[in-house]
Amino acid sequence: GNSVTQMEGPVTLSEEAFLTINCTYTATGYPSLFWYVQYPGEGLQLLLKATKADDKGSNKGFEATYRKETTSFHLEKGSVQVSDSAVYFCALRRAGGFKTIFGAGTRLFVKA
Amino acid sequence: NAGVTQTPKFQVLKTGQSMTLQCAQDMNHNSMYWYRQDPGMGLRLIYYSASEGTTDKGEVPNGYNVSRLNKREFSLRLESAAPSQTSVYFCASSEGAFNTGELFFGEGSRLTVL
């Protein structure tokens, strides 16, 4: 079946550090891939997405590239801010499907 | 813009009590979902409604029922609450299957079952 595996947290970084959160997936066909972010006390919101191989999603300085050969969709940001402290979820949705499968989430703490 | 609205935001129940979580979206989306979020387990799909008039089970449907009241509203009912149902519940919506698939979430409902 379809599944998403992401690195365990928490991840603690100092402001302006480089961020990588690893995400790998198992799926048949060509799913769409997503990163969602959840700020404290809020629901999830879409951060970025990619719908086909080699696509790069980007938003708010975050980037992720859809790598079909390694079945990965790692999240990166060159310089994190305190305001980036949140929980990040990697997710996939099969093409033409209704269900989105989420990873367990990675909590990020950024220290000033 | 309201987006996806859930009520109530907080609820405490005793074991065996029943309750309904309400969800409404104003984006004219076809598909609606109920997820639960538990520490270390991400989000797990309870039930979903691909379109008005249809509902289907997700990963963890036991102990829950749903109703797609109309295109806007999708409710989740716990008939006899159990401590294992203590969780944060999220309603979400999306346009439908044949699109980018982005989910729009409500702010969540925190449920405690004693």
Side-chain angles (χ1 to χ4, degrees):
Chain A
N2 299 335
S3 65
V4 176
T5 303
Q6 58 182 109
M7 63 188 286
E8 289 187 23
V11 174
T12 302
L13 295 173
S14 297
E15 209 166 21
E16 299 183 3
F18 185 85
L19 169 70
T20 299
I21 300 178
N22 291 335
C23 171
T24 57
Y25 68 91
T26 302
T28 55
Y30 298 88
S32 294
L33 301 176
F34 305 86
W35 278 100
Y36 285 87
V37 59
Q38 183 181 31
Y39 298 104
E42 298 183 10
L44 282 73
Q45 57 186 276
L46 181 69
L47 180 60
L48 53 84
K49 65 186 178 190
T51 56
K52 60 183 188 295
D54 300 325
D55 267 3
K56 177 184 283 188
S58 62
N59 186 26
K60 299 181 181 179
F62 291 89
E63 293 183 341
T65 301
Y66 190 142
R67 301 285 189 202
K68 187 155 180 66
E69 64 275 13
T70 55
T71 62
S72 65
F73 193 54
H74 304 321
L75 182 68
E76 296 182 336
K77 186 175 186 182
S79 176
V80 294
Q81 306 300 313
V82 172
S83 58
D84 293 326
S85 298
V87 182
Y88 293 82
F89 293 90
C90 185
L92 72 81
R93 177 167 161 153
R94 183 176 57 83
F98 292 101
K99 293 186 280 189
T100 300
I101 307 299
F102 287 86
T106 303
R107 184 176 294 276
L108 170 66
F109 293 104
V110 181
K111 303 179 297 184
Chain B
N1 291 338
V4 178
T5 304
Q6 294 180 230
T7 56
K9 287 188 169 36
F10 300 94
Q11 183 73 47
V12 179
L13 293 177
K14 295 180 180 178
T15 297
Q17 288 184 318
S18 62
M19 76 158 298
T20 300
L21 299 175
Q22 308 284 356
C23 175
Q25 52 92 8
D26 63 2
M27 295 173 283
N28 201 34
H29 285 168
N30 290 308
S31 302
M32 298 186 72
Y33 308 81
W34 278 105
Y35 285 89
R36 59 179 288 174
Q37 182 181 26
D38 301 292
M41 303 192 74
L43 274 74
R44 293 182 291 169
L45 183 63
I46 305 170
Y47 271 94
Y48 68 102
S49 172
S51 60
E52 185 179 359
T54 70
T55 60
D56 284 285
K57 296 178 180 179
E59 300 172 73
V60 290
N62 291 345
Y64 305 94
N65 285 301
V66 291
S67 295
R68 183 75 183 266
L69 304 170
N70 47 56
K71 191 171 186 179
R72 291 186 64 248
E73 298 173 287
F74 188 42
S75 63
L76 178 72
R77 183 161 179 83
L78 287 69
E79 291 291 352
S80 179
S84 61
Q85 294 178 304
T86 294
S87 188
V88 181
Y89 292 85
F90 287 98
C91 179
S93 69
S94 71
E95 290 179 356
F98 298 101
N99 56 71
T100 59
E102 177 183 354
L103 290 173
F104 294 81
F105 284 86
E107 293 185 343
S109 299
R110 184 176 294 275
L111 174 65
T112 301
V113 183
L114 304 176

